[in-house]
Amino acid sequence: MTTPIRQRLAECAAKARTCEVSGCHLPRQHFGKWCEAHDRRAQETGHPLGRTIRRREFEPFVKGARRYLDRHQDHPRIAKALSWLEALVYASGAAPAEITRKSTAHDRLLTWLVKLRRQEVSPVEMLAIAIGICAYREWSPQVFRSDRHFNHQLAIRVLRLARAERITTMHRGCHEYRRHDRITSGVRDLLSEALNRHVGVVALSVARKLVAKVNASNPVPTALTMILAGTASLASGQGAGTNEGKPTNE
Ligand SMILES: [Zn+2]
């Protein structure tokens, strides 16, 4: 009635190799550092505890970036970044004939760029997204778990400027659906590395300006400013200046 020794040995070995995420005691995948769930999350977001950052979370910064770019398009560093993005989308050549499981990150990225080209996505819009997400990271650093998480989300948000294409199928009658192609990890690495190299510095410097502007117009409330403004809630006994300003986004 005892458990076969082989099975017990296998169980002990699995326990010894637990997921690297702290607090997670699940066995690791055969290859890699994480359990199945954390590995999948890392594949999807760029970090085992990361999440997908939605455009609407940092939309105010995208709007600010667009206004800024509108006024400063001729600034040499901005003009250079825009012309690099223009070349990336509009001069990168024809899409590969087909994407298969064996396609390289290069071919997959090219397919995405052609999609942006077909939809006439502008370099200004792409740069506004890059600036917007940089500003969001300056504003709420804790939202991004690591550089890699940030880089992957940057690439995803830029490529998702291409709307999902409508596909019509005749399977069991006529249906129309939107095809959401996956942006693979290799594509995100390839694109984010190039974006950081060619537009990263200018995006970050504009992002910091936008964040500084927001901070200047909405200073962090102190006990004194709240009392002066009459917003301190004395009756509830809640001390002013408690650290509950920023949402954690968790
Ligand atoms: Zn895990």
Side-chain angles (χ1 to χ4, degrees):
M1 293 297 280
T2 55
T3 319
I5 190 151
R6 272 175 190 283
Q7 193 185 326
R8 273 172 50 206
L9 282 169
E11 280 167 14
C12 290
K15 270 182 200 147
R17 295 180 70 252
T18 54
C19 177
E20 266 190 16
V21 171
S22 81
C24 178
H25 304 292
L26 291 172
R28 285 187 195 186
Q29 301 277 77
H30 283 296
F31 301 102
K33 301 178 276 187
W34 304 301
C35 66
E36 195 182 343
H38 284 127
D39 191 65
R40 197 180 328 116
R41 186 92 83 93
Q43 285 287 325
E44 281 166 11
T45 69
H47 191 279
L49 292 171
R51 64 180 180 82
T52 298
I53 306 300
R54 302 287 165 196
R55 160 93 178 252
R56 60 176 175 270
E57 295 175 49
F58 59 92
E59 188 62 26
F61 288 125
V62 177
K63 285 194 179 132
R66 235 185 256 129
R67 279 195 297 272
Y68 186 93
L69 292 174
D70 207 39
R71 289 195 304 269
H72 300 91
Q73 286 207 26
D74 300 327
H75 185 284
R77 286 201 306 167
I78 287 172
K80 199 176 160 202
L82 289 174
S83 77
W84 182 80
L85 288 166
E86 171 102 37
L88 176 74
V89 175
Y90 292 92
S92 45
E98 62 168 350
I99 292 296
T100 67
R101 283 187 55 200
K102 287 185 178 169
S103 292
T104 59
H106 168 280
D107 282 3
R108 288 172 192 275
L109 175 58
L110 188 49
T111 305
W112 276 101
L113 296 173
V114 170
K115 211 186 276 187
L116 291 171
R117 193 186 306 162
R118 270 205 302 271
Q119 297 184 18
E120 295 177 18
V121 172
S122 77
V124 170
E125 201 54 23
M126 294 170 77
L127 189 53
I129 290 286
I131 294 168
I133 198 166
C134 281
Y136 189 35
R137 191 187 196 184
E138 292 289 304
W139 180 255
S140 284
Q142 75 281 6
V143 168
F144 299 94
R145 298 288 188 150
S146 64
D147 285 342
R148 188 164 190 265
H149 182 216
F150 172 80
N151 287 336
H152 279 217
Q153 297 305 314
L154 164 69
I156 289 171
R157 296 282 49 109
V158 168
L159 293 181
R160 289 279 180 227
L161 279 169
R163 292 181 306 279
E165 291 176 315
R166 285 172 194 276
I167 305 289
T168 305
T169 169
M170 298 304 286
H171 181 68
R172 291 184 186 169
C174 185
H175 297 287
E176 196 184 63
Y177 66 98
R178 285 184 178 274
R179 195 177 71 190
H180 289 271
D181 292 321
R182 238 175 70 75
I183 303 168
T184 61
S185 190
V187 167
R188 295 182 229 147
D189 283 332
L190 186 62
L191 178 62
S192 61
E193 198 268 330
L195 285 172
N196 281 323
R197 186 144 35 95
H198 296 283
V199 309
V201 174
V202 69
L204 187 59
S205 99
V206 177
R208 284 184 172 151
K209 283 189 184 117
L210 295 180
V211 172
K213 208 170 129 192
V214 174
N215 283 333
S217 56
N218 304 291
V220 179
T222 64
L224 176 58
T225 59
M226 286 169 82
I227 290 165
L228 292 175
T231 50
S233 167
L234 299 170
S236 72
Q238 260 197 338
T242 46
N243 192 21
E244 39 187 310
K246 275 189 183 177
T248 57
N249 281 298
E250 288 297 314

